[in-house]
Amino acid sequence: MILFLFFSIYSFASLTMSKYYLSDENNQLTINEIIKKQNSEYKILTNKNSSFEFTDATIWIKVEIDKKSTFTKEYVLEMQNFYRGDIEVFDEDGKFIHKYSSFLPFSHMSYQYPKIAIPLNLEEEKTILYLKVSSFVKMTVHTKLWEEKAFQKNVLDSTVFLAVYFSGMFLLIFYNFIFYLFSKERVFLIYVLFTGSVFLSMLFRTGMGFAYIWSDYPELNQLTGREFFYMFMIFGLIFCKEYLDTKNRTPKLDKALMFAIYLGVFFVILHFILSYKDSFIFLVLMNFLSLILMFITAFYHAFVIKNKEAYYILFGWSFFIIGISLSVLMYIEVLEMNLFTQYTPEIGSFLDITLFSMALASSYRKKQLALEKSRVKLAQINKNLEKIIEEKNKDLIEKNKNLEYEVGLNSFLLKELSHRVKNNLQVILSFLSLQSKHCNKEEVKVLLDESRRRVNAISTLHELLIDTQEFNSVDIDRYLKKLLDYNKLIFNDLNIDLKIDIVSAKFPIEGATHLGLIVNELFSNSCKHAFKGIDSPKIEISLQAIDKQYTLIVKDNGRGLSENSKENLGSKIIKALISQLNGVYSLKSDDGFEYTIIFRIDDKGINNEYLDSRR
């Protein structure tokens, strides 16, 4: 691209052109009045004074052309910038020749060229033209006179250059946007917004947007492109801040950048409120402040912090500043006008965003390399951990085997112990049964039978423990039903109608033992003392639970307790067992006999505090 620009330097028409201007402050002068004015009333127009800042006046330009010895008749008068306003061209006699207006569709232009190009047929050796110029924005009337053929070549080369420029920018935007979608790196999105604002601002500056995008909507030309230039600076500051990580590396510079960003947003709001003229000073201030801050930040990171990534930013902004500077030198006629100097801002901006794209690629590549190194280290750490875990697992497996052996041994010993306890209880039961059969005294026989029933209550519990292979708890409903079946069989001759309603619950061994002995004693007492003279004896036994609080009710339809009845051994045993359960009891003996016991058993066993206050 650079070689193409250096070799695209043209020779302008072989003639001399003198330019003068006059300002019509009241916009009232006619072409005839302008023709009558003397040269002394005009001022000489050069490239240095070709910009008219924010004037509402009409500018009249008098152009004197001397063809010398050339024989070419076809010429083109070109204005070097994309222009927003109206231009009317008259000959020396005041005859209207041509009109240009940026409010007309692009198809109405004399040449399909985004800048002003006015065709001229110069037959006379000396020709005088008058240009009536008005604009609603900053007015730059830097003009050149071309031979027709040279102009056509310039149009072609300019179009090719701008096509390459905008295509390159679009590809950079598209590439980095796709990269953002895959990587989700925020800095790539900021770059896309930054480059997109440059792209749009340059479409306005060069007129390429009017030529190829909104050619049928000239009213969009009233947008000056400054809106996007503000965004270009704001996103440039954000990109510089994000890419160089100023928040963590240089907090003071980060605060300065944040201040410039907020100031830029404020200036954008002012831009839509204030007039074009008044807002220009804020744009100049924003440009100066932003470029200086970004350049200082990049310079500090590159040469003080020694961050190599900052060189991309430093050189990028340097190219952009150089491009702007060369453009200014061209307009003050320090540099000759050619395709290279004409488009130095575009070249500078393209090199700028290209370096920024390279910076992102370099930064991302470093992150990927660092991530890959981290993955390798992590893989090595995982291998080491796997070895450690494998060794620990071997130790745990060995310990588990030992524990399983110990648990199996303990289970076997506990089972063996339960068997021996059960067998011993059975031996005791057999002894008590033999003793009862060979006893002649009825009183002693009764005592032996009661002892046998009590031992059976404990033996039945151990039998269930062995059957279920659970040695820390027992199903209370199954245990009590089996115990009552045994007792009912002993008192079978009474033909008792027994009703049982027992909740299904797990009881710890201690609680189940106490409760079994209590039920055993209450059932035996009813069978022995309550049904003398009762034709249809009935006993109801109920055990219900509400939130681990149990209520045992044993009632019969017998004679009840007499007023003179004395407390026997069974009653003492029952009270002692209730005390062991830490429960409370009550009894009724008005119509039959009813004994109620309330106690609490939770997962930890018998609750020794819950019912103390109710005693």
Side-chain angles (χ1 to χ4, degrees):
M1 184 189 295
I2 294 172
L3 290 174
F4 165 75
L5 291 169
F6 272 116
F7 284 106
S8 297
I9 299 173
Y10 304 100
S11 296
F12 298 104
S14 324
L15 45 76
T16 60
M17 183 171 64
S18 300
K19 295 176 286 185
Y20 309 90
Y21 75 94
L22 183 149
S23 178
D24 180 9
E25 300 294 338
N26 298 319
N27 301 313
Q28 294 179 347
L29 295 175
T30 64
I31 180 61
N32 293 325
E33 292 173 329
I34 290 295
I35 292 173
K36 292 177 183 179
K37 289 186 177 293
Q38 302 297 319
N39 283 347
S40 59
E41 298 182 63
Y42 287 89
K43 296 179 182 179
I44 297 175
L45 180 65
T46 65
N47 288 345
K48 294 180 181 180
N49 65 356
S50 63
S51 293
F52 297 88
E53 299 289 344
F54 320 113
T55 178
D56 295 326
T58 298
I59 304 298
W60 287 90
I61 301 174
K62 181 179 181 180
V63 182
E64 295 180 351
I65 304 171
D66 185 357
K67 292 173 54 178
K68 294 183 180 180
S69 60
T70 60
F71 298 99
T72 305
K73 295 181 180 181
E74 302 298 328
Y75 292 90
V76 177
L77 183 65
E78 179 197 20
M79 199 164 285
Q80 297 298 307
N81 288 309
F82 176 62
Y83 189 77
R84 295 175 179 85
D86 296 318
I87 297 177
E88 295 181 35
V89 183
F90 302 88
D91 63 12
E92 57 188 327
D93 297 323
K95 182 181 177 182
F96 175 79
I97 298 176
H98 188 81
K99 181 178 181 179
Y100 166 88
S101 176
S102 63
F103 295 97
L104 296 174
F106 185 72
S107 58
H108 287 55
M109 301 296 104
S110 300
Y111 294 92
Q112 299 303 298
Y113 184 57
K115 300 175 185 177
I116 298 174
I118 301 172
L120 298 174
N121 188 349
L122 304 179
E123 296 182 356
E124 303 294 332
E125 185 176 341
K126 292 185 178 181
T127 305
I128 297 176
L129 299 174
Y130 293 94
L131 280 68
K132 182 182 179 181
V133 183
S134 60
S135 174
F136 62 91
V137 296
K138 174 184 174 183
M139 191 185 303
T140 302
V141 289
H142 183 72
T143 57
K144 285 289 182 180
L145 190 63
W146 297 79
E147 291 181 356
E148 173 71 21
K149 293 181 180 180
F151 176 74
Q152 293 291 356
K153 187 175 187 305
N154 176 59
V155 170
L156 178 61
D157 289 343
S158 296
T159 304
V160 170
F161 169 77
L162 291 174
V164 172
Y165 170 74
F166 283 109
S167 298
M169 288 190 69
F170 178 79
L171 288 175
L172 285 172
I173 294 170
F174 181 76
Y175 167 77
N176 284 280
F177 180 71
I178 296 298
F179 207 90
Y180 163 73
L181 294 178
F182 283 97
S183 67
K184 300 301 180 183
E185 291 278 347
R186 187 174 63 174
V187 68
F188 283 93
L189 178 61
I190 296 171
Y191 172 84
V192 168
L193 295 173
F194 163 71
T195 311
S197 58
V198 176
F199 185 85
L200 291 171
S201 63
M202 289 301 177
L203 282 176
F204 276 92
R205 194 190 97 82
T206 60
M208 292 297 284
F210 177 50
Y212 298 106
I213 299 178
W214 57 85
S215 57
D216 294 330
Y217 303 94
E219 57 272 11
L220 289 178
N221 292 324
Q222 296 184 43
L223 291 172
T224 63
R226 288 184 180 177
E227 302 84 358
F228 303 107
F229 207 88
Y230 272 116
M231 301 311 296
F232 155 51
M233 286 298 167
I234 291 171
F235 285 119
L237 288 164
I238 296 173
F239 177 81
C240 184
K241 178 180 179 298
E242 186 78 14
Y243 178 75
L244 296 177
D245 192 19
T246 55
K247 185 176 182 179
N248 297 317
R249 294 180 176 179
T250 50
K252 291 183 179 179
L253 285 173
D254 182 77
K255 290 180 180 179
L257 291 172
M258 285 301 301
F259 171 78
I261 292 168
Y262 290 132
L263 190 64
V265 174
F266 176 68
F267 286 167
V268 170
I269 297 171
L270 285 180
H271 172 75
F272 291 104
I273 298 174
L274 301 177
S275 66
Y276 179 87
K277 177 180 178 180
D278 294 333
S279 66
F280 181 75
I281 189 171
F282 296 111
L283 180 63
V284 173
L285 179 61
M286 182 65 188
N287 290 344
F288 178 78
L289 178 63
S290 300
L291 289 173
I292 291 296
L293 266 178
M294 287 186 284
F295 191 84
I296 291 174
T297 302
F299 186 88
Y300 185 85
H301 278 255
F303 295 102
V304 178
I305 299 181
K306 304 298 182 182
N307 179 12
K308 294 182 180 180
E309 304 297 323
Y311 286 105
Y312 290 101
I313 307 296
L314 183 63
F315 288 125
W317 286 120
S318 298
F319 281 124
F320 182 75
I321 293 171
I322 291 170
I324 298 293
S325 302
L326 290 175
S327 179
V328 172
L329 292 174
M330 179 196 69
Y331 282 110
I332 63 175
E333 296 185 330
V334 174
L335 295 177
E336 184 182 353
M337 172 71 180
N338 56 55
L339 193 61
F340 177 74
T341 55
Q342 182 181 359
Y343 290 112
T344 49
E346 285 75 11
I347 297 170
S349 64
F350 186 80
L351 293 173
D352 181 24
I353 63 175
T354 303
L355 282 170
F356 286 3
S357 182
M358 293 170 62
L360 286 176
S362 175
S363 176
Y364 186 78
R365 186 165 56 251
K366 285 188 176 180
K367 286 183 180 179
Q368 291 299 314
L369 290 174
L371 183 61
E372 189 61 32
K373 289 181 180 179
S374 298
R375 287 175 179 170
V376 172
K377 289 182 180 179
L378 185 60
Q380 187 61 42
I381 291 171
N382 285 336
K383 286 184 179 180
N384 295 335
L385 286 174
E386 286 175 0
K387 289 181 180 179
I388 294 171
I389 291 171
E390 187 177 354
E391 293 175 358
K392 293 291 184 183
N393 283 339
K394 289 180 180 179
D395 294 339
L396 287 174
I397 291 171
E398 189 64 30
K399 289 180 180 179
N400 285 337
K401 287 182 179 179
N402 296 333
L403 286 174
E404 288 176 0
Y405 174 76
E406 292 178 3
V407 169
L409 181 60
N410 289 335
S411 177
F412 171 77
L413 293 175
L414 186 59
K415 185 176 181 181
E416 184 65 22
L417 179 62
S418 295
H419 271 292
R420 293 191 180 186
V421 170
K422 177 193 171 186
N423 292 337
N424 290 335
L425 290 173
Q426 289 295 328
V427 171
I428 294 171
L429 284 173
S430 298
F431 284 152
L432 290 173
S433 179
L434 289 172
Q435 191 70 41
S436 175
K437 288 179 181 180
H438 291 83
C439 181
N440 295 325
K441 294 182 179 181
E442 188 64 27
E443 183 179 353
V444 175
K445 187 175 181 180
V446 170
L447 292 174
L448 290 173
D449 288 340
E450 288 178 355
S451 298
R452 184 158 57 93
R453 286 193 294 276
R454 290 164 187 156
V455 173
N456 179 73
I458 300 172
S459 177
T460 301
L461 178 63
H462 279 272
E463 185 178 351
L464 282 176
L465 293 175
I466 295 170
D467 290 343
T468 59
Q469 297 295 310
E470 294 183 22
F471 299 101
N472 58 347
S473 64
V474 67
D475 293 328
I476 194 64
D477 55 333
R478 184 179 176 188
Y479 169 54
L480 292 181
K481 287 177 182 178
K482 191 170 184 177
L483 181 64
L484 290 170
D485 287 342
Y486 174 81
N487 283 331
K488 184 181 179 182
L489 185 62
I490 291 176
F491 295 100
N492 188 44
D493 56 329
L494 294 178
N495 196 23
I496 296 171
D497 182 10
L498 178 63
K499 293 183 179 180
I500 301 173
D501 184 12
I502 299 173
V503 68
S504 177
K506 291 282 188 181
F507 266 47
I509 303 302
E510 182 184 14
T513 302
H514 297 334
L515 191 62
L517 290 172
I518 290 171
V519 171
N520 181 77
E521 291 299 326
L522 290 172
F523 184 85
S524 298
N525 285 344
S526 294
C527 290
K528 289 191 296 180
H529 306 296
F531 300 127
K532 291 180 180 180
I534 302 300
D535 296 331
S536 301
K538 295 180 181 179
I539 297 178
E540 296 180 13
I541 298 176
S542 171
L543 178 65
Q544 300 301 322
I546 300 177
D547 191 24
K548 301 298 182 180
Q549 177 178 302
Y550 293 88
T551 301
L552 174 68
I553 300 175
V554 179
K555 57 190 297 186
D556 60 41
N557 62 342
R559 297 180 304 167
L561 294 175
S562 63
E563 294 181 359
N564 300 324
S565 60
K566 296 181 180 180
E567 187 176 40
N568 57 18
L569 178 61
S571 297
K572 292 179 180 180
I573 291 174
I574 290 170
K575 289 180 180 180
L577 292 170
I578 292 173
S579 178
Q580 291 294 317
L581 286 174
N582 201 41
V584 294
Y585 71 93
S586 63
L587 59 88
K588 295 179 182 179
S589 187
D590 297 335
D591 185 12
F593 177 83
E594 181 177 330
Y595 208 107
T596 303
I597 303 170
I598 300 174
F599 60 97
R600 185 176 181 85
I601 292 180
D602 53 29
D603 296 336
K604 297 179 180 179
I606 298 171
N607 192 311
N608 295 319
E609 299 176 359
Y610 181 72
L611 297 172
D612 283 349
S613 60
R614 300 185 59 177
R615 288 191 166 184

